[in-house]
Amino acid sequence: MCRVLSARHLDELNRHSYRKRYPPGQLIAGITPDQDWFAIVISGAIKLTKSLLDGRQQIVALLFPSDFLGRPFGTASWHTAETATAVELCCFGRKHFEGLMQDQAELKQLFLERTLDELELARDWILRLGRSTAHEKLAAFILLVWRRIRAPECAFCARPEAQQFDLPLSRSEIADYLGLRIETVSRQLKTLEAAGAIKTGPGRTISLKDVRALERLT
Amino acid sequence: MCRVLSARHLDELNRHSYRKRYPPGQLIAGITPDQDWFAIVISGAIKLTKSLLDGRQQIVALLFPSDFLGRPFGTASWHTAETATAVELCCFGRKHFEGLMQDQAELKQLFLERTLDELELARDWILRLGRSTAHEKLAAFILLVWRRIRAPECAFCARPEAQQFDLPLSRSEIADYLGLRIETVSRQLKTLEAAGAIKTGPGRTISLKDVRALERLT
DNA sequence: CGAGCCCTTGACGTGCATCAACGTGCGTGG
DNA sequence: CCACGCACGTTGATGCACGTCAAGGGCTCG
């Protein structure tokens, strides 16, 4: 945001924002049709999930630092938001943020372009879910996390060159993200490890051994 | 658009627009990073498809009358657009449309909200692809087409009460949309027919026999 | 009439789900 | 201290939904 807003506008924005912190695995209240706030992710990772009536559920998006959370303007956005790791948010009152957008064309423009980017990402994911095999999905997932974690917006997440990092999701969350079962996730990780592409550590640690091989798999 | 723009603005918009018609199954040129126009679908249906390097492809969105086609502002949107049926578009020069949006807050606001809706739809589809079985996918697809075809924006498509209509896609396109194979699509349609939910006619005709049953399947 | 699509139908194969058992680490309470 | 439960992950055996392969039917077009 610093790139598009003037110092004066940034000031105004900051005066009306407040920080919130959440522990891992916590439902973030208020993601309902009448949600009254709006936020930007400062650190951590957030899952947006949708589910069918019988309980099957699917993570439809992962949010990382610099991503927006919440839907201003209008109608229901029917999913839940839950923290995957510890999370810090920068929040605004919804009405207030909408007002700021109306006043400051640059802010609205930024939000619009981000939304277009999100749409593009969602459609990429549609391609993945519809047309990839289990190991392709896992390779894509690992690379996606790696890229987001090293991104400049994520200043405190990891050194740019780190080949080793922690996945922000548990096995069952990965399964929900990739449209698989947890056993399949486990087995495919072993397969990737056997192929020499990665090395799984204790907990959720993972080391990249052969990025090229992973990329070839996607 | 008539709802949000003043008569004067509508006039201005119209003066700078032009109509284009396409036959079925035709690639719509210019959906590339440097696309120089922008359009609204007047009639017909358009497929947006993405594909992997080895040729597997997936339809990531279907556009119906009143939907926007094209990405203003900035970066590449990497997919192709192809007509499914005969299509009529209302086009604008890209630069010109961007200018209009900057001048007329209501237009930009409309576009933003539409984009947010599209994002929501894309995520619903992620849930479908990740977590539904083949017949659930088909039931959902049939209902989706039915609803869009009866929608008020689609004034000339079908009578609101029509239980019989034509699918805008061939079997292999349906397969590409649902992440299935064409044989599976064919068989699942038969299953739905055997269950008394639909009746398949000649060509792409379909009649709904039991909407409730279809809805229960989704 | 034959060529080429699109669609259907059947037989068969396989990737992933399902079911079940077990190991591991961690907190809780006896 | 161990016993216990519990969440999480792994591993193996089995099953099934959907993919794959192959053949054939109906349609349109030259």
Short mmCIF file of all heavy atoms in Angstrom, two decimals, chain C residues 11-23:
data_model
loop_
_atom_site.label_atom_id
_atom_site.label_comp_id
_atom_site.label_asym_id
_atom_site.label_seq_id
_atom_site.Cartn_x
_atom_site.Cartn_y
_atom_site.Cartn_z
P DA C 11 -19.20 -56.13 -21.45
OP1 DA C 11 -19.52 -57.52 -21.86
OP2 DA C 11 -19.71 -55.60 -20.18
"O5'" DA C 11 -17.62 -55.94 -21.48
"C5'" DA C 11 -16.91 -56.11 -22.71
"C4'" DA C 11 -15.41 -56.02 -22.43
"O4'" DA C 11 -15.04 -54.62 -22.28
"C3'" DA C 11 -14.96 -56.70 -21.15
"O3'" DA C 11 -13.66 -57.23 -21.35
"C2'" DA C 11 -14.99 -55.56 -20.13
"C1'" DA C 11 -14.49 -54.40 -20.99
N9 DA C 11 -14.92 -53.08 -20.55
C8 DA C 11 -16.12 -52.73 -20.01
N7 DA C 11 -16.23 -51.45 -19.72
C5 DA C 11 -15.01 -50.93 -20.10
C6 DA C 11 -14.50 -49.62 -20.06
N6 DA C 11 -15.17 -48.57 -19.61
N1 DA C 11 -13.24 -49.44 -20.53
C2 DA C 11 -12.57 -50.50 -21.00
N3 DA C 11 -12.95 -51.77 -21.09
C4 DA C 11 -14.20 -51.92 -20.62
P DC C 12 -12.92 -58.05 -20.20
OP1 DC C 12 -12.15 -59.11 -20.86
OP2 DC C 12 -13.88 -58.35 -19.10
"O5'" DC C 12 -11.88 -56.97 -19.67
"C5'" DC C 12 -10.96 -56.37 -20.59
"C4'" DC C 12 -10.23 -55.25 -19.89
"O4'" DC C 12 -11.14 -54.17 -19.58
"C3'" DC C 12 -9.58 -55.64 -18.56
"O3'" DC C 12 -8.19 -55.41 -18.69
"C2'" DC C 12 -10.25 -54.73 -17.53
"C1'" DC C 12 -10.69 -53.56 -18.40
N1 DC C 12 -11.81 -52.73 -17.86
C2 DC C 12 -11.61 -51.35 -17.74
O2 DC C 12 -10.52 -50.87 -18.06
N3 DC C 12 -12.63 -50.58 -17.27
C4 DC C 12 -13.79 -51.13 -16.93
N4 DC C 12 -14.74 -50.33 -16.48
C5 DC C 12 -14.01 -52.53 -17.06
C6 DC C 12 -13.00 -53.28 -17.52
P DG C 13 -7.20 -55.75 -17.49
OP1 DG C 13 -6.02 -56.41 -18.06
OP2 DG C 13 -7.95 -56.36 -16.37
"O5'" DG C 13 -6.76 -54.27 -17.06
"C5'" DG C 13 -6.46 -53.33 -18.09
"C4'" DG C 13 -5.99 -52.03 -17.45
"O4'" DG C 13 -7.14 -51.28 -17.02
"C3'" DG C 13 -5.11 -52.19 -16.22
"O3'" DG C 13 -4.11 -51.18 -16.29
"C2'" DG C 13 -6.08 -51.99 -15.05
"C1'" DG C 13 -7.08 -51.01 -15.63
N9 DG C 13 -8.46 -51.14 -15.14
C8 DG C 13 -9.20 -52.29 -15.03
N7 DG C 13 -10.42 -52.09 -14.61
C5 DG C 13 -10.49 -50.72 -14.43
C6 DG C 13 -11.57 -49.91 -13.98
O6 DG C 13 -12.69 -50.26 -13.65
N1 DG C 13 -11.21 -48.56 -13.94
C2 DG C 13 -9.97 -48.07 -14.30
N2 DG C 13 -9.81 -46.75 -14.20
N3 DG C 13 -8.97 -48.81 -14.72
C4 DG C 13 -9.29 -50.12 -14.75
P DT C 14 -3.02 -51.03 -15.12
OP1 DT C 14 -1.77 -50.70 -15.79
OP2 DT C 14 -3.15 -52.23 -14.24
"O5'" DT C 14 -3.48 -49.77 -14.28
"C5'" DT C 14 -3.86 -48.58 -14.95
"C4'" DT C 14 -4.18 -47.53 -13.90
"O4'" DT C 14 -5.55 -47.70 -13.45
"C3'" DT C 14 -3.35 -47.64 -12.62
"O3'" DT C 14 -3.21 -46.36 -12.05
"C2'" DT C 14 -4.22 -48.50 -11.74
"C1'" DT C 14 -5.57 -47.89 -12.06
N1 DT C 14 -6.74 -48.71 -11.74
C2 DT C 14 -7.90 -48.08 -11.36
O2 DT C 14 -8.01 -46.88 -11.29
N3 DT C 14 -8.94 -48.93 -11.08
C4 DT C 14 -8.93 -50.31 -11.13
O4 DT C 14 -9.93 -50.97 -10.86
C5 DT C 14 -7.68 -50.90 -11.54
C7 DT C 14 -7.56 -52.38 -11.64
C6 DT C 14 -6.66 -50.08 -11.81
P DG C 15 -1.88 -45.53 -11.97
OP1 DG C 15 -1.53 -45.21 -13.34
OP2 DG C 15 -0.91 -46.20 -11.08
"O5'" DG C 15 -2.43 -44.21 -11.25
"C5'" DG C 15 -3.46 -43.49 -11.90
"C4'" DG C 15 -4.36 -42.84 -10.86
"O4'" DG C 15 -5.32 -43.81 -10.35
"C3'" DG C 15 -3.66 -42.29 -9.64
"O3'" DG C 15 -4.34 -41.09 -9.29
"C2'" DG C 15 -3.83 -43.38 -8.58
"C1'" DG C 15 -5.20 -43.94 -8.95
N9 DG C 15 -5.38 -45.38 -8.68
C8 DG C 15 -4.42 -46.36 -8.76
N7 DG C 15 -4.89 -47.56 -8.51
C5 DG C 15 -6.24 -47.36 -8.27
C6 DG C 15 -7.26 -48.29 -7.95
O6 DG C 15 -7.17 -49.51 -7.83
N1 DG C 15 -8.49 -47.67 -7.79
C2 DG C 15 -8.71 -46.32 -7.91
N2 DG C 15 -9.96 -45.90 -7.71
N3 DG C 15 -7.77 -45.44 -8.21
C4 DG C 15 -6.56 -46.02 -8.37
P DC C 16 -3.67 -40.03 -8.30
OP1 DC C 16 -3.83 -38.73 -8.98
OP2 DC C 16 -2.35 -40.53 -7.89
"O5'" DC C 16 -4.63 -40.06 -7.04
"C5'" DC C 16 -6.01 -39.80 -7.23
"C4'" DC C 16 -6.82 -40.60 -6.24
"O4'" DC C 16 -6.59 -42.00 -6.42
"C3'" DC C 16 -6.55 -40.30 -4.77
"O3'" DC C 16 -7.67 -39.59 -4.27
"C2'" DC C 16 -6.36 -41.69 -4.14
"C1'" DC C 16 -6.94 -42.63 -5.20
N1 DC C 16 -6.39 -44.00 -5.21
C2 DC C 16 -7.26 -45.08 -5.08
O2 DC C 16 -8.47 -44.86 -4.96
N3 DC C 16 -6.75 -46.33 -5.07
C4 DC C 16 -5.43 -46.52 -5.19
N4 DC C 16 -4.97 -47.77 -5.18
C5 DC C 16 -4.53 -45.42 -5.33
C6 DC C 16 -5.04 -44.19 -5.33
P DA C 17 -7.96 -39.34 -2.74
OP1 DA C 17 -8.69 -38.07 -2.66
OP2 DA C 17 -6.74 -39.55 -1.95
"O5'" DA C 17 -9.00 -40.50 -2.38
"C5'" DA C 17 -10.21 -40.58 -3.12
"C4'" DA C 17 -11.15 -41.60 -2.51
"O4'" DA C 17 -10.60 -42.93 -2.64
"C3'" DA C 17 -11.44 -41.42 -1.03
"O3'" DA C 17 -12.80 -41.76 -0.79
"C2'" DA C 17 -10.46 -42.38 -0.36
"C1'" DA C 17 -10.37 -43.51 -1.37
N9 DA C 17 -9.06 -44.17 -1.45
C8 DA C 17 -7.85 -43.56 -1.67
N7 DA C 17 -6.83 -44.40 -1.72
C5 DA C 17 -7.42 -45.64 -1.54
C6 DA C 17 -6.89 -46.94 -1.49
N6 DA C 17 -5.59 -47.23 -1.64
N1 DA C 17 -7.76 -47.96 -1.28
C2 DA C 17 -9.06 -47.68 -1.15
N3 DA C 17 -9.68 -46.51 -1.18
C4 DA C 17 -8.79 -45.51 -1.38
P DT C 18 -13.45 -41.64 0.64
OP1 DT C 18 -14.88 -41.40 0.43
OP2 DT C 18 -12.62 -40.72 1.44
"O5'" DT C 18 -13.29 -43.10 1.27
"C5'" DT C 18 -13.75 -44.21 0.54
"C4'" DT C 18 -13.41 -45.48 1.30
"O4'" DT C 18 -12.02 -45.83 1.08
"C3'" DT C 18 -13.60 -45.39 2.82
"O3'" DT C 18 -14.45 -46.46 3.20
"C2'" DT C 18 -12.19 -45.54 3.38
"C1'" DT C 18 -11.50 -46.34 2.29
N1 DT C 18 -10.03 -46.21 2.18
C2 DT C 18 -9.26 -47.35 2.15
O2 DT C 18 -9.74 -48.46 2.24
N3 DT C 18 -7.91 -47.13 2.01
C4 DT C 18 -7.27 -45.92 1.90
O4 DT C 18 -6.06 -45.85 1.76
C5 DT C 18 -8.13 -44.76 1.93
C7 DT C 18 -7.54 -43.39 1.81
C6 DT C 18 -9.45 -44.96 2.07
P DC C 19 -15.10 -46.51 4.68
OP1 DC C 19 -16.45 -47.07 4.54
OP2 DC C 19 -14.89 -45.20 5.35
"O5'" DC C 19 -14.18 -47.59 5.40
"C5'" DC C 19 -13.98 -48.84 4.75
"C4'" DC C 19 -12.94 -49.65 5.49
"O4'" DC C 19 -11.61 -49.24 5.08
"C3'" DC C 19 -12.97 -49.50 7.02
"O3'" DC C 19 -12.89 -50.79 7.59
"C2'" DC C 19 -11.74 -48.64 7.31
"C1'" DC C 19 -10.80 -49.12 6.22
N1 DC C 19 -9.68 -48.21 5.90
C2 DC C 19 -8.42 -48.76 5.61
O2 DC C 19 -8.28 -49.98 5.64
N3 DC C 19 -7.40 -47.93 5.32
C4 DC C 19 -7.59 -46.60 5.30
N4 DC C 19 -6.56 -45.82 5.01
C5 DC C 19 -8.86 -46.03 5.59
C6 DC C 19 -9.88 -46.86 5.88
P DA C 20 -13.17 -51.02 9.16
OP1 DA C 20 -14.07 -52.17 9.25
OP2 DA C 20 -13.52 -49.73 9.80
"O5'" DA C 20 -11.72 -51.44 9.65
"C5'" DA C 20 -10.90 -52.26 8.82
"C4'" DA C 20 -9.48 -52.26 9.35
"O4'" DA C 20 -8.72 -51.19 8.73
"C3'" DA C 20 -9.37 -52.03 10.86
"O3'" DA C 20 -8.49 -53.01 11.39
"C2'" DA C 20 -8.78 -50.64 10.96
"C1'" DA C 20 -7.92 -50.60 9.71
N9 DA C 20 -7.55 -49.26 9.27
C8 DA C 20 -8.34 -48.15 9.22
N7 DA C 20 -7.72 -47.07 8.78
C5 DA C 20 -6.44 -47.52 8.53
C6 DA C 20 -5.29 -46.87 8.04
N6 DA C 20 -5.26 -45.58 7.72
N1 DA C 20 -4.16 -47.60 7.90
C2 DA C 20 -4.20 -48.90 8.24
N3 DA C 20 -5.22 -49.62 8.69
C4 DA C 20 -6.32 -48.86 8.82
P DA C 21 -8.48 -53.31 12.96
OP1 DA C 21 -8.97 -54.68 13.16
OP2 DA C 21 -9.10 -52.17 13.68
"O5'" DA C 21 -6.91 -53.28 13.25
"C5'" DA C 21 -6.03 -53.85 12.29
"C4'" DA C 21 -4.69 -53.16 12.38
"O4'" DA C 21 -4.78 -51.86 11.77
"C3'" DA C 21 -4.22 -52.93 13.82
"O3'" DA C 21 -2.99 -53.60 14.02
"C2'" DA C 21 -4.08 -51.41 13.93
"C1'" DA C 21 -3.93 -50.99 12.48
N9 DA C 21 -4.33 -49.62 12.20
C8 DA C 21 -5.54 -49.03 12.46
N7 DA C 21 -5.62 -47.77 12.10
C5 DA C 21 -4.36 -47.52 11.56
C6 DA C 21 -3.79 -46.36 10.99
N6 DA C 21 -4.45 -45.20 10.88
N1 DA C 21 -2.52 -46.45 10.54
C2 DA C 21 -1.88 -47.62 10.66
N3 DA C 21 -2.31 -48.77 11.17
C4 DA C 21 -3.57 -48.65 11.60
P DC C 22 -2.34 -53.67 15.46
OP1 DC C 22 -1.68 -54.99 15.55
OP2 DC C 22 -3.31 -53.22 16.48
"O5'" DC C 22 -1.20 -52.57 15.35
"C5'" DC C 22 -0.39 -52.51 14.17
"C4'" DC C 22 0.42 -51.24 14.20
"O4'" DC C 22 -0.39 -50.12 13.77
"C3'" DC C 22 0.93 -50.88 15.61
"O3'" DC C 22 2.32 -50.63 15.56
"C2'" DC C 22 0.14 -49.63 15.96
"C1'" DC C 22 -0.06 -49.02 14.57
N1 DC C 22 -1.15 -48.01 14.50
C2 DC C 22 -0.89 -46.78 13.87
O2 DC C 22 0.22 -46.58 13.39
N3 DC C 22 -1.89 -45.84 13.81
C4 DC C 22 -3.08 -46.12 14.35
N4 DC C 22 -4.01 -45.17 14.26
C5 DC C 22 -3.35 -47.35 14.99
C6 DC C 22 -2.38 -48.26 15.04
P DG C 23 3.13 -50.50 16.92
OP1 DG C 23 4.01 -51.68 17.00
OP2 DG C 23 2.19 -50.20 18.05
"O5'" DG C 23 4.03 -49.22 16.67
"C5'" DG C 23 4.56 -48.96 15.37
"C4'" DG C 23 4.94 -47.50 15.30
"O4'" DG C 23 3.75 -46.71 15.06
"C3'" DG C 23 5.55 -46.97 16.60
"O3'" DG C 23 6.67 -46.15 16.29
"C2'" DG C 23 4.42 -46.18 17.24
"C1'" DG C 23 3.66 -45.67 16.02
N9 DG C 23 2.25 -45.42 16.26
C8 DG C 23 1.31 -46.29 16.75
N7 DG C 23 0.12 -45.79 16.85
C5 DG C 23 0.27 -44.48 16.41
C6 DG C 23 -0.69 -43.44 16.31
O6 DG C 23 -1.89 -43.46 16.59
N1 DG C 23 -0.11 -42.26 15.83
C2 DG C 23 1.21 -42.12 15.49
N2 DG C 23 1.58 -40.92 15.05
N3 DG C 23 2.12 -43.08 15.58
C4 DG C 23 1.57 -44.24 16.05
#
